[in-house]
Coordinates of all heavy atoms in Angstrom, one line a residue:
M1 N 0.8 -1.2 0.0 CA 0.0 0.0 0.0 C 0.9 1.3 0.0 O 0.5 2.2 -0.6 CB -0.9 -0.1 1.2 CG -2.0 0.9 1.2 SD -3.1 0.6 -0.1 CE -4.4 1.7 0.2
K2 N 2.0 1.2 0.7 CA 2.9 2.3 0.8 C 3.5 2.6 -0.6 O 3.7 3.8 -0.9 CB 3.9 2.1 1.9 CG 3.4 2.3 3.3 CD 4.5 2.2 4.3 CE 4.0 2.3 5.7 NZ 5.1 2.3 6.7
K3 N 3.8 1.5 -1.3 CA 4.4 1.7 -2.7 C 3.4 2.4 -3.6 O 3.8 3.3 -4.3 CB 4.7 0.3 -3.3 CG 5.9 -0.3 -2.6 CD 6.2 -1.7 -3.3 CE 7.4 -2.4 -2.7 NZ 7.7 -3.6 -3.3
L4 N 2.2 2.0 -3.5 CA 1.2 2.7 -4.3 C 1.0 4.2 -3.9 O 1.0 5.0 -4.8 CB -0.2 2.0 -4.1 CG -1.4 2.6 -4.9 CD1 -1.1 2.4 -6.4 CD2 -2.6 1.9 -4.5
R5 N 1.1 4.4 -2.6 CA 1.0 5.8 -2.2 C 2.2 6.7 -2.7 O 2.0 7.8 -3.1 CB 0.9 5.8 -0.7 CG 0.4 7.2 -0.1 CD 0.3 7.1 1.4 NE -0.6 6.1 1.8 CZ -0.6 5.6 3.0 NH1 0.2 6.0 4.0 NH2 -1.5 4.6 3.3
T6 N 3.4 6.1 -2.6 CA 4.5 6.8 -3.1 C 4.5 7.0 -4.6 O 4.9 8.1 -5.1 CB 5.8 6.1 -2.6 OG1 5.8 4.8 -3.1 CG2 6.0 6.1 -1.1
K7 N 4.0 6.0 -5.3 CA 3.9 6.2 -6.8 C 3.0 7.3 -7.1 O 3.2 8.1 -8.0 CB 3.5 4.9 -7.4 CG 4.6 3.8 -7.5 CD 4.1 2.6 -8.3 CE 5.2 1.6 -8.4 NZ 4.7 0.4 -9.1
I8 N 1.8 7.3 -6.5 CA 0.8 8.4 -6.7 C 1.4 9.7 -6.3 O 1.2 10.7 -7.1 CB -0.5 8.0 -6.0 CG1 -1.2 6.8 -6.6 CG2 -1.4 9.2 -6.0 CD1 -2.4 6.3 -5.8
S9 N 2.1 9.8 -5.2 CA 2.7 11.0 -4.8 C 3.7 11.5 -5.8 O 3.8 12.7 -6.1 CB 3.3 10.9 -3.4 OG 3.9 12.0 -3.0
K10 N 4.6 10.6 -6.3 CA 5.6 11.0 -7.3 C 4.9 11.5 -8.6 O 5.3 12.5 -9.2 CB 6.5 9.9 -7.6 CG 7.5 9.6 -6.5 CD 8.4 8.4 -6.8 CE 9.3 8.1 -5.7 NZ 10.2 6.9 -6.0
W11 N 3.8 10.8 -9.0 CA 3.1 11.2 -10.2 C 2.5 12.6 -10.0 O 2.6 13.4 -11.0 CB 2.0 10.2 -10.5 CG 1.2 10.4 -11.7 CD1 1.7 10.4 -13.0 CD2 -0.2 10.8 -11.8 NE1 0.6 10.7 -13.8 CE2 -0.5 10.9 -13.1 CE3 -1.2 10.9 -10.8 CZ2 -1.8 11.2 -13.5 CZ3 -2.4 11.3 -11.2 CH2 -2.7 11.4 -12.6
F12 N 1.9 12.9 -8.9 CA 1.4 14.2 -8.6 C 2.5 15.3 -8.6 O 2.3 16.4 -9.1 CB 0.6 14.3 -7.3 CG -0.8 13.9 -7.5 CD1 -1.3 12.8 -6.7 CD2 -1.7 14.5 -8.4 CE1 -2.6 12.4 -6.9 CE2 -3.0 14.0 -8.5 CZ -3.5 13.0 -7.8
D13 N 3.6 14.9 -8.1 CA 4.8 15.9 -8.1 C 5.2 16.2 -9.5 O 5.5 17.3 -9.8 CB 5.9 15.3 -7.2 CG 5.6 15.3 -5.8 OD1 4.7 16.0 -5.3 OD2 6.3 14.5 -5.0
R14 N 5.3 15.1 -10.3 CA 5.7 15.4 -11.7 C 4.7 16.2 -12.4 O 5.0 17.1 -13.2 CB 5.8 14.0 -12.5 CG 7.2 13.4 -12.3 CD 7.4 12.2 -13.2 NE 6.7 11.1 -12.5 CZ 5.9 10.2 -13.1 NH1 5.6 10.3 -14.4 NH2 5.4 9.2 -12.4
L15 N 3.4 16.0 -12.2 CA 2.3 16.9 -12.8 C 2.5 18.3 -12.3 O 2.3 19.2 -13.1 CB 1.0 16.3 -12.5 CG 0.5 15.1 -13.2 CD1 -0.9 14.7 -12.7 CD2 0.4 15.4 -14.7
D16 N 2.8 18.5 -11.0 CA 2.9 19.8 -10.5 C 4.1 20.5 -11.1 O 4.0 21.7 -11.5 CB 3.0 19.8 -9.0 CG 3.0 21.2 -8.4 OD1 2.1 22.0 -8.8 OD2 3.8 21.4 -7.5
E17 N 5.2 19.8 -11.3 CA 6.4 20.4 -12.0 C 6.1 20.8 -13.4 O 6.5 21.9 -13.8 CB 7.5 19.4 -11.9 CG 8.2 19.2 -10.6 CD 9.2 18.1 -10.6 OE1 9.7 17.7 -11.7 OE2 9.6 17.6 -9.5
Q18 N 5.4 19.9 -14.1 CA 5.0 20.3 -15.5 C 4.1 21.5 -15.5 O 4.2 22.4 -16.4 CB 4.3 19.1 -16.2 CG 5.2 17.9 -16.5 CD 4.4 16.8 -17.0 OE1 3.2 16.8 -17.1 NE2 5.2 15.7 -17.4
W19 N 3.2 21.6 -14.6 CA 2.3 22.8 -14.5 C 3.1 24.0 -14.2 O 2.8 25.1 -14.8 CB 1.2 22.5 -13.4 CG 0.3 23.7 -13.3 CD1 0.3 24.6 -12.3 CD2 -0.8 24.0 -14.1 NE1 -0.7 25.5 -12.5 CE2 -1.4 25.2 -13.6 CE3 -1.3 23.5 -15.3 CZ2 -2.5 25.8 -14.2 CZ3 -2.4 24.1 -15.9 CH2 -3.0 25.2 -15.4
Q20 N 4.0 23.9 -13.3 CA 4.8 25.1 -12.9 C 5.7 25.6 -14.1 O 6.0 26.7 -14.2 CB 5.7 24.8 -11.7 CG 4.9 24.6 -10.4 CD 4.0 25.8 -10.0 OE1 4.4 26.9 -10.3 NE2 2.9 25.5 -9.4
Q21 N 6.1 24.6 -14.9 CA 7.0 25.0 -16.1 C 6.2 25.7 -17.2 O 6.8 26.4 -18.0 CB 7.6 23.7 -16.6 CG 8.7 23.2 -15.7 CD 9.3 21.9 -16.3 OE1 8.8 21.4 -17.3 NE2 10.3 21.3 -15.6
L22 N 4.9 25.5 -17.2 CA 4.1 26.2 -18.2 C 4.1 27.7 -18.0 O 4.2 28.2 -16.8 CB 2.6 25.8 -18.2 CG 2.3 24.4 -18.7 CD1 0.9 24.0 -18.5 CD2 2.6 24.3 -20.2
P23 N 4.1 28.5 -19.0 CA 4.0 30.0 -18.8 C 2.7 30.3 -18.2 O 1.7 29.6 -18.3 CB 4.0 30.5 -20.3 CG 4.5 29.4 -21.1 CD 4.2 28.2 -20.5
V24 N 2.7 31.4 -17.4 CA 1.5 31.9 -16.7 C 0.3 32.1 -17.6 O -0.8 31.8 -17.3 CB 1.8 33.1 -15.8 CG1 0.6 33.6 -15.1 CG2 2.9 32.8 -14.9
K25 N 0.6 32.6 -18.8 CA -0.5 32.9 -19.7 C -1.2 31.6 -20.1 O -2.4 31.6 -20.2 CB 0.1 33.6 -21.0 CG -0.9 34.3 -21.8 CD -0.3 35.1 -22.9 CE -1.3 35.9 -23.7 NZ -0.7 36.8 -24.7
R26 N -0.4 30.6 -20.4 CA -1.0 29.3 -20.8 C -1.7 28.6 -19.6 O -2.8 28.0 -19.7 CB 0.1 28.3 -21.3 CG -0.5 27.0 -21.8 CD 0.5 26.2 -22.5 NE 0.6 26.8 -23.9 CZ 1.4 26.3 -24.8 NH1 2.1 25.3 -24.6 NH2 1.4 26.9 -26.0
Q27 N -1.2 28.8 -18.4 CA -1.9 28.3 -17.2 C -3.3 29.0 -17.0 O -4.3 28.3 -16.8 CB -1.1 28.6 -15.9 CG 0.1 27.7 -15.8 CD 0.9 28.1 -14.5 OE1 0.5 28.9 -13.7 NE2 2.0 27.4 -14.3
H28 N -3.3 30.3 -17.3 CA -4.5 31.0 -17.2 C -5.5 30.6 -18.2 O -6.7 30.4 -17.9 CB -4.2 32.5 -17.3 CG -5.4 33.4 -17.2 ND1 -5.9 33.6 -15.9 CD2 -6.0 34.2 -18.0 CE1 -7.0 34.5 -16.1 NE2 -7.0 34.8 -17.3
R29 N -5.0 30.3 -19.4 CA -5.9 29.9 -20.5 C -6.5 28.5 -20.2 O -7.7 28.3 -20.4 CB -5.1 29.8 -21.8 CG -6.0 29.5 -23.0 CD -5.2 29.4 -24.4 NE -4.5 30.7 -24.6 CZ -3.3 30.8 -25.1 NH1 -2.7 29.7 -25.5 NH2 -2.7 31.9 -25.3
Y30 N -5.7 27.6 -19.7 CA -6.2 26.2 -19.4 C -7.2 26.3 -18.2 O -8.2 25.6 -18.3 CB -5.0 25.3 -18.9 CG -4.2 24.8 -20.1 CD1 -2.8 24.5 -19.9 CD2 -4.7 24.6 -21.3 CE1 -2.1 24.0 -20.9 CE2 -4.0 24.1 -22.4 CZ -2.6 23.8 -22.2 OH -1.9 23.3 -23.2
T31 N -6.9 27.2 -17.3 CA -7.9 27.3 -16.2 C -9.2 27.9 -16.7 O -10.3 27.4 -16.3 CB -7.3 28.3 -15.1 OG1 -6.0 27.7 -14.7 CG2 -8.2 28.3 -13.9
L32 N -9.2 28.9 -17.5 CA -10.4 29.4 -18.1 C -11.1 28.4 -18.9 O -12.4 28.3 -18.9 CB -10.1 30.7 -18.9 CG -9.8 31.9 -18.2 CD1 -9.4 33.1 -19.1 CD2 -11.0 32.3 -17.3
L33 N -10.4 27.6 -19.7 CA -11.1 26.6 -20.5 C -11.7 25.5 -19.7 O -12.9 25.1 -19.9 CB -10.1 25.9 -21.5 CG -9.7 26.7 -22.7 CD1 -8.5 26.0 -23.5 CD2 -10.9 26.9 -23.6
L34 N -11.1 25.1 -18.6 CA -11.7 24.1 -17.7 C -12.9 24.7 -17.0 O -13.9 24.0 -16.9 CB -10.7 23.6 -16.7 CG -9.6 22.7 -17.2 CD1 -8.5 22.4 -16.1 CD2 -10.2 21.4 -17.6
F35 N -12.8 25.9 -16.6 CA -14.0 26.6 -16.0 C -15.1 26.7 -16.9 O -16.3 26.5 -16.6 CB -13.6 27.9 -15.4 CG -14.8 28.6 -14.8 CD1 -15.3 28.2 -13.6 CD2 -15.4 29.7 -15.4 CE1 -16.4 28.8 -13.0 CE2 -16.5 30.4 -14.9 CZ -17.0 29.9 -13.7
A36 N -14.8 27.1 -18.2 CA -15.9 27.2 -19.2 C -16.5 25.9 -19.5 O -17.8 25.8 -19.6 CB -15.3 27.8 -20.5
G37 N -15.7 24.8 -19.6 CA -16.3 23.5 -19.8 C -17.2 23.1 -18.6 O -18.3 22.5 -18.8
Y38 N -16.8 23.4 -17.4 CA -17.6 23.1 -16.2 C -18.9 23.9 -16.2 O -19.9 23.3 -15.9 CB -16.7 23.3 -14.9 CG -17.5 23.1 -13.7 CD1 -17.7 21.9 -13.2 CD2 -18.0 24.2 -12.9 CE1 -18.4 21.6 -12.0 CE2 -18.7 24.0 -11.8 CZ -18.9 22.7 -11.3 OH -19.6 22.5 -10.1
A39 N -18.8 25.1 -16.5 CA -20.0 26.0 -16.5 C -20.9 25.5 -17.6 O -22.1 25.5 -17.4 CB -19.6 27.5 -16.8
L40 N -20.4 25.1 -18.8 CA -21.3 24.7 -19.9 C -22.0 23.4 -19.5 O -23.2 23.2 -19.7 CB -20.4 24.5 -21.2 CG -21.2 24.0 -22.4 CD1 -22.2 25.1 -22.8 CD2 -20.2 23.6 -23.5
L41 N -21.2 22.5 -18.9 CA -21.8 21.2 -18.4 C -22.9 21.4 -17.4 O -24.0 20.8 -17.4 CB -20.7 20.3 -17.9 CG -21.1 18.9 -17.4 CD1 -21.7 18.1 -18.6 CD2 -20.0 18.2 -16.7
S42 N -22.6 22.3 -16.4 CA -23.6 22.7 -15.4 C -24.9 23.3 -16.0 O -26.0 22.9 -15.7 CB -23.0 23.7 -14.4 OG -21.9 23.1 -13.8
L43 N -24.7 24.1 -17.0 CA -25.8 24.8 -17.7 C -26.7 23.7 -18.4 O -27.9 23.8 -18.4 CB -25.3 25.8 -18.7 CG -26.4 26.6 -19.4 CD1 -27.2 27.5 -18.4 CD2 -25.8 27.5 -20.4
V44 N -26.0 22.8 -19.1 CA -26.7 21.7 -19.8 C -27.5 20.9 -18.8 O -28.7 20.5 -19.1 CB -25.7 20.9 -20.6 CG1 -26.4 19.6 -21.1 CG2 -25.2 21.6 -21.8
V45 N -27.0 20.5 -17.7 CA -27.7 19.7 -16.7 C -28.9 20.5 -16.1 O -30.0 19.9 -16.0 CB -26.7 19.3 -15.6 CG1 -27.5 18.7 -14.4 CG2 -25.7 18.3 -16.1
I46 N -28.7 21.7 -15.8 CA -29.8 22.6 -15.3 C -30.9 22.7 -16.3 O -32.1 22.6 -16.0 CB -29.3 23.9 -14.8 CG1 -28.4 23.8 -13.6 CG2 -30.4 24.9 -14.6 CD1 -27.7 25.0 -13.2
L47 N -30.6 22.9 -17.6 CA -31.6 23.0 -18.6 C -32.3 21.7 -18.8 O -33.5 21.6 -19.0 CB -31.0 23.4 -20.0 CG -30.5 24.9 -20.0 CD1 -29.8 25.2 -21.3 CD2 -31.7 25.8 -19.8
K48 N -31.6 20.6 -18.7 CA -32.2 19.2 -18.9 C -33.2 19.0 -17.7 O -34.3 18.5 -17.9 CB -31.1 18.2 -18.9 CG -31.6 16.8 -18.9 CD -32.3 16.4 -20.2 CE -32.6 14.9 -20.1 NZ -33.8 14.6 -20.8
V49 N -32.8 19.4 -16.5 CA -33.7 19.2 -15.4 C -34.9 20.0 -15.5 O -36.1 19.6 -15.3 CB -33.0 19.5 -14.0 CG1 -33.9 19.6 -12.9 CG2 -31.9 18.5 -13.8
C50 N -34.8 21.3 -15.9 CA -35.9 22.2 -16.2 C -36.8 21.6 -17.2 O -38.1 21.7 -17.1 CB -35.4 23.6 -16.5 SG -34.7 24.5 -15.2
Y51 N -36.3 21.1 -18.3 CA -37.1 20.5 -19.4 C -37.8 19.3 -18.9 O -39.0 19.1 -19.2 CB -36.1 20.1 -20.5 CG -36.8 19.4 -21.7 CD1 -37.6 20.1 -22.6 CD2 -36.7 18.0 -21.8 CE1 -38.3 19.5 -23.6 CE2 -37.4 17.4 -22.9 CZ -38.2 18.1 -23.7 OH -38.8 17.5 -24.8
D52 N -37.2 18.4 -18.1 CA -37.9 17.2 -17.6 C -39.0 17.6 -16.6 O -40.0 17.0 -16.6 CB -36.9 16.3 -16.9 CG -35.9 15.6 -17.9 OD1 -36.3 15.6 -19.1 OD2 -34.9 15.1 -17.4
V53 N -38.8 18.6 -15.8 CA -39.8 19.1 -14.9 C -41.0 19.7 -15.6 O -42.1 19.4 -15.3 CB -39.2 20.1 -13.9 CG1 -40.3 20.7 -13.1 CG2 -38.3 19.3 -12.9
A54 N -40.7 20.4 -16.7 CA -41.8 21.0 -17.5 C -42.6 20.0 -18.2 O -43.8 20.1 -18.4 CB -41.2 22.1 -18.4
Q55 N -42.0 18.9 -18.6 CA -42.7 17.9 -19.4 C -43.4 16.8 -18.6 O -44.2 16.1 -19.0 CB -41.7 17.1 -20.3 CG -41.1 18.0 -21.4 CD -42.1 18.5 -22.4 OE1 -43.0 17.8 -22.7 NE2 -41.9 19.7 -22.8
S56 N -43.1 16.8 -17.3 CA -43.6 15.7 -16.4 C -45.1 15.9 -16.2 O -45.7 17.0 -16.2 CB -42.9 15.7 -15.1 OG -43.2 16.8 -14.3
N57 N -45.8 14.8 -15.9 CA -47.2 14.8 -15.5 C -47.2 15.1 -14.0 O -46.6 14.5 -13.2 CB -47.8 13.4 -15.7 CG -48.8 13.4 -16.8 OD1 -49.2 14.5 -17.3 ND2 -49.2 12.3 -17.2
N58 N -48.0 16.1 -13.6 CA -48.1 16.4 -12.2 C -49.2 15.7 -11.5 O -49.7 16.1 -10.5 CB -48.3 17.9 -12.1 CG -47.0 18.7 -12.5 OD1 -45.9 18.2 -12.4 ND2 -47.2 19.9 -12.9
K59 N -49.6 14.6 -12.1 CA -50.7 13.8 -11.5 C -50.1 12.6 -10.8 O -49.3 11.9 -11.3 CB -51.7 13.3 -12.6 CG -52.4 14.4 -13.3 CD -53.3 13.9 -14.4 CE -53.9 15.1 -15.1 NZ -54.7 14.6 -16.2
I60 N -50.6 12.4 -9.6 CA -50.1 11.2 -8.8 C -51.2 10.1 -8.9 O -52.4 10.4 -8.7 CB -49.9 11.6 -7.4 CG1 -48.8 12.7 -7.2 CG2 -49.6 10.4 -6.5 CD1 -48.7 13.2 -5.8
T61 N -50.8 8.9 -9.3 CA -51.7 7.8 -9.4 C -51.6 7.1 -8.1 O -50.6 6.7 -7.7 CB -51.4 6.9 -10.6 OG1 -50.0 6.4 -10.4 CG2 -51.5 7.7 -11.9
I62 N -52.8 6.8 -7.5 CA -52.9 6.1 -6.3 C -53.5 4.7 -6.6 O -54.6 4.7 -7.1 CB -53.7 6.9 -5.3 CG1 -53.1 8.2 -5.0 CG2 -53.9 6.0 -4.0 CD1 -53.9 9.1 -4.1
E63 N -52.8 3.7 -6.3 CA -53.2 2.3 -6.5 C -53.1 1.5 -5.3 O -52.3 1.8 -4.4 CB -52.5 1.7 -7.7 CG -52.6 2.4 -9.0 CD -51.7 1.9 -10.1 OE1 -50.9 0.9 -9.7 OE2 -51.8 2.3 -11.2
H64 N -53.8 0.4 -5.2 CA -53.7 -0.5 -4.1 C -52.4 -1.2 -4.2 O -51.9 -1.6 -5.3 CB -54.9 -1.5 -4.1 CG -56.2 -0.8 -3.7 ND1 -56.4 -0.4 -2.4 CD2 -57.2 -0.5 -4.4 CE1 -57.6 0.1 -2.4 NE2 -58.2 0.1 -3.6
I65 N -51.8 -1.6 -3.1 CA -50.6 -2.3 -3.0 C -51.0 -3.8 -3.1 O -51.8 -4.3 -2.3 CB -49.8 -2.0 -1.7 CG1 -49.4 -0.6 -1.7 CG2 -48.6 -2.9 -1.7 CD1 -48.8 -0.2 -0.4
E66 N -50.3 -4.5 -4.1 CA -50.6 -5.9 -4.2 C -49.7 -6.7 -3.3 O -48.6 -6.4 -3.1 CB -50.3 -6.3 -5.7 CG -51.1 -5.6 -6.7 CD -52.5 -6.1 -6.8 OE1 -52.8 -7.3 -6.4 OE2 -53.4 -5.4 -7.2
N67 N -50.3 -7.7 -2.7 CA -49.6 -8.6 -1.8 C -48.7 -9.5 -2.7 O -49.2 -10.3 -3.5 CB -50.5 -9.4 -1.0 CG -49.8 -10.2 0.1 OD1 -48.6 -10.3 0.1 ND2 -50.6 -10.8 1.0
P68 N -47.4 -9.5 -2.5 CA -46.5 -10.3 -3.3 C -46.6 -11.8 -3.1 O -46.4 -12.6 -3.9 CB -45.1 -9.8 -3.0 CG -45.2 -9.1 -1.7 CD -46.6 -8.6 -1.6
V69 N -47.1 -12.2 -1.9 CA -47.3 -13.6 -1.6 C -48.4 -14.2 -2.4 O -48.3 -15.3 -3.0 CB -47.5 -13.8 -0.1 CG1 -47.8 -15.3 0.2 CG2 -46.4 -13.3 0.8
I70 N -49.5 -13.5 -2.6 CA -50.6 -13.9 -3.4 C -50.2 -14.0 -4.8 O -50.6 -14.9 -5.5 CB -51.8 -13.0 -3.1 CG1 -52.3 -13.1 -1.7 CG2 -52.9 -13.3 -4.1 CD1 -53.4 -12.1 -1.3
Q71 N -49.4 -13.0 -5.3 CA -48.9 -13.0 -6.6 C -48.1 -14.2 -6.9 O -48.1 -14.8 -8.0 CB -48.2 -11.8 -7.0 CG -49.0 -10.5 -7.0 CD -48.2 -9.3 -7.2 OE1 -47.0 -9.3 -7.2 NE2 -48.9 -8.2 -7.5
Q72 N -47.3 -14.7 -6.0 CA -46.4 -15.9 -6.2 C -47.2 -17.1 -6.3 O -46.9 -18.0 -7.1 CB -45.4 -16.0 -5.1 CG -44.2 -15.1 -5.1 CD -43.3 -15.3 -4.0 OE1 -43.5 -16.1 -3.1 NE2 -42.1 -14.6 -4.0
K73 N -48.3 -17.2 -5.6 CA -49.1 -18.4 -5.7 C -49.8 -18.5 -7.1 O -50.0 -19.6 -7.5 CB -50.2 -18.4 -4.6 CG -49.7 -18.6 -3.2 CD -50.8 -18.6 -2.2 CE -50.2 -18.8 -0.8 NZ -51.2 -18.7 0.3
K74 N -50.1 -17.4 -7.7 CA -50.7 -17.4 -9.0 C -49.7 -17.8 -10.1 O -50.0 -18.3 -11.1 CB -51.3 -16.1 -9.3 CG -52.5 -15.7 -8.4 CD -53.0 -14.4 -8.8 CE -54.2 -14.0 -7.9 NZ -54.7 -12.6 -8.1
S75 N -48.4 -17.5 -9.9 CA -47.4 -17.7 -10.9 C -47.0 -19.2 -11.0 O -47.0 -19.9 -10.0 CB -46.1 -16.9 -10.6 OG -45.5 -17.4 -9.5
P76 N -46.7 -19.7 -12.2 CA -46.4 -21.1 -12.3 C -44.9 -21.5 -11.9 O -44.5 -22.6 -12.1 CB -46.5 -21.3 -13.8 CG -46.2 -20.0 -14.4 CD -46.7 -19.0 -13.4
V77 N -44.2 -20.5 -11.3 CA -42.9 -20.8 -10.8 C -42.9 -21.8 -9.7 O -43.7 -21.6 -8.7 CB -42.1 -19.5 -10.5 CG1 -40.7 -19.8 -9.9 CG2 -42.1 -18.6 -11.6
S78 N -42.0 -22.7 -9.7 CA -42.1 -23.7 -8.6 C -41.6 -23.1 -7.3 O -40.8 -22.1 -7.3 CB -41.2 -24.9 -8.9 OG -39.8 -24.5 -8.9
Q79 N -41.9 -23.8 -6.2 CA -41.6 -23.3 -4.8 C -40.1 -23.5 -4.6 O -39.6 -22.9 -3.6 CB -42.4 -23.9 -3.8 CG -43.8 -23.5 -3.8 CD -44.0 -22.0 -3.4 OE1 -43.2 -21.5 -2.6 NE2 -45.0 -21.4 -3.9
Q80 N -39.4 -24.2 -5.3 CA -38.0 -24.5 -5.1 C -37.2 -23.2 -5.3 O -36.1 -23.1 -4.7 CB -37.4 -25.5 -6.1 CG -37.5 -26.9 -5.6 CD -36.8 -27.8 -6.6 OE1 -36.7 -27.5 -7.7 NE2 -36.5 -29.0 -6.1
D81 N -37.7 -22.2 -6.0 CA -36.9 -21.0 -6.3 C -37.0 -20.0 -5.1 O -36.3 -19.0 -5.1 CB -37.5 -20.3 -7.5 CG -37.2 -21.1 -8.8 OD1 -36.3 -22.0 -8.7 OD2 -37.9 -20.9 -9.8
S82 N -37.8 -20.3 -4.1 CA -37.9 -19.3 -3.0 C -36.6 -19.4 -2.2 O -36.0 -20.4 -2.0 CB -39.1 -19.6 -2.1 OG -38.8 -20.7 -1.3
I83 N -36.2 -18.2 -1.7 CA -34.9 -18.1 -1.0 C -35.0 -18.8 0.4 O -34.0 -19.3 0.9 CB -34.6 -16.6 -0.8 CG1 -33.2 -16.4 -0.3 CG2 -35.5 -15.9 0.1 CD1 -32.1 -16.8 -1.2
S84 N -36.2 -18.8 1.0 CA -36.3 -19.5 2.3 C -36.0 -21.0 2.2 O -35.4 -21.6 3.0 CB -37.7 -19.2 2.9 OG -38.7 -19.8 2.1
K85 N -36.5 -21.6 1.1 CA -36.2 -23.0 0.9 C -34.8 -23.3 0.7 O -34.2 -24.3 1.2 CB -37.0 -23.6 -0.3 CG -38.1 -24.4 0.2 CD -38.4 -25.4 -0.9 CE -39.5 -26.2 -0.6 NZ -40.2 -27.0 -0.1
I86 N -34.1 -22.4 -0.1 CA -32.7 -22.6 -0.4 C -31.9 -22.5 0.9 O -31.0 -23.2 1.2 CB -32.2 -21.5 -1.4 CG1 -32.9 -21.8 -2.8 CG2 -30.7 -21.5 -1.5 CD1 -32.7 -20.7 -3.8
L87 N -32.3 -21.5 1.7 CA -31.6 -21.3 3.0 C -31.8 -22.5 3.9 O -30.9 -22.9 4.6 CB -32.0 -20.0 3.7 CG -31.5 -18.7 3.0 CD1 -32.1 -17.5 3.7 CD2 -30.0 -18.6 2.9
K88 N -33.0 -23.0 4.0 CA -33.3 -24.1 4.8 C -32.5 -25.4 4.4 O -32.0 -26.1 5.2 CB -34.8 -24.5 4.8 CG -35.6 -23.5 5.6 CD -37.1 -23.9 5.5 CE -38.0 -22.9 6.3 NZ -39.4 -23.2 6.1
N89 N -32.4 -25.6 3.1 CA -31.6 -26.7 2.6 C -30.2 -26.6 3.0 O -29.5 -27.6 3.3 CB -31.8 -26.8 1.1 CG -33.2 -27.3 0.7 OD1 -33.9 -27.9 1.5 ND2 -33.6 -27.1 -0.6
K90 N -29.6 -25.4 2.9 CA -28.2 -25.2 3.3 C -28.0 -25.4 4.8 O -27.0 -25.9 5.2 CB -27.8 -23.8 2.9 CG -27.5 -23.6 1.4 CD -26.9 -22.3 1.1 CE -26.6 -22.2 -0.4 NZ -25.9 -21.1 -0.8
L91 N -29.0 -25.1 5.6 CA -28.8 -25.3 7.0 C -28.8 -26.8 7.3 O -28.0 -27.2 8.2 CB -30.0 -24.7 7.8 CG -29.9 -23.1 7.9 CD1 -31.2 -22.6 8.6 CD2 -28.7 -22.7 8.7
Y92 N -29.6 -27.6 6.6 CA -29.7 -29.0 7.0 C -28.7 -29.9 6.1 O -28.8 -31.1 6.2 CB -31.1 -29.5 6.8 CG -32.1 -28.9 7.7 CD1 -33.1 -28.0 7.3 CD2 -31.9 -29.0 9.1 CE1 -33.9 -27.4 8.2 CE2 -32.8 -28.4 10.0 CZ -33.8 -27.6 9.5 OH -34.6 -27.0 10.4
E93 N -27.8 -29.3 5.3 CA -26.9 -30.1 4.5 C -25.8 -30.7 5.3 O -25.1 -31.6 4.8 CB -26.4 -29.2 3.4 CG -27.3 -29.1 2.2 CD -26.7 -28.2 1.1 OE1 -25.6 -27.7 1.3 OE2 -27.4 -28.1 0.1
R94 N -25.5 -30.2 6.5 CA -24.4 -30.7 7.2 C -24.5 -32.1 7.4 O -23.9 -33.0 7.4 CB -24.3 -30.1 8.6 CG -24.2 -28.6 8.5 CD -24.2 -28.0 9.9 NE -24.4 -26.6 9.9 CZ -24.6 -25.8 10.9 NH1 -24.7 -26.4 12.1 NH2 -24.8 -24.6 10.7

């Protein structure tokens, strides 16, 4: 784990040295481009959320909750697939 930490630390140090070697004007340009990309991405996400909210149905449908046990009895799936049977079989396999 310490080797990984030292490798990552050395890698960040090399990146920092490369950044410091760049002229200040280029550093400023890169910073502005990254900020512009971040602002554009944020704007796209905000517009997408606003669009989704405007298009949504504001009606709430209220339905009865179906009992899943009753639904399983109606399905043709065998009882072997139930998790309780699998667990019981594992308990008694010793």
Side-chain angles (χ1 to χ4, degrees):
M1 191 67 172
K2 287 186 179 182
K3 288 182 182 180
L4 180 64
R5 194 177 304 161
T6 56
K7 283 184 181 181
I8 291 173
S9 178
K10 287 180 183 179
W11 181 66
F12 276 123
D13 290 340
R14 276 188 277 133
L15 283 177
D16 189 43
E17 287 175 16
Q18 289 176 354
W19 178 258
Q20 294 298 330
Q21 288 175 357
L22 287 175
V24 175
K25 195 172 188 176
R26 185 167 283 179
Q27 287 179 4
H28 185 70
R29 186 178 304 142
Y30 285 149
T31 305
L32 283 177
L33 283 173
L34 285 172
F35 177 73
Y38 177 75
L40 182 66
L41 183 65
S42 298
L43 183 67
V44 167
V45 168
I46 290 170
L47 289 175
K48 174 69 175 146
V49 168
C50 290
Y51 176 76
D52 287 346
V53 168
Q55 295 295 326
S56 70
N57 249 350
N58 290 334
K59 297 178 183 177
I60 298 175
T61 58
I62 300 173
E63 299 175 356
H64 291 286
I65 299 173
E66 299 286 333
N67 189 349
V69 175
I70 295 172
Q71 288 177 353
Q72 283 182 351
K73 289 181 181 178
K74 293 178 184 177
S75 69
V77 178
S78 68
Q79 289 294 328
Q80 271 185 339
D81 293 341
S82 76
I83 191 71
S84 61
K85 252 209 184 293
I86 293 169
L87 290 176
K88 284 180 185 176
N89 288 340
K90 285 188 178 186
L91 284 174
Y92 296 115
E93 281 181 356
R94 298 181 196 169

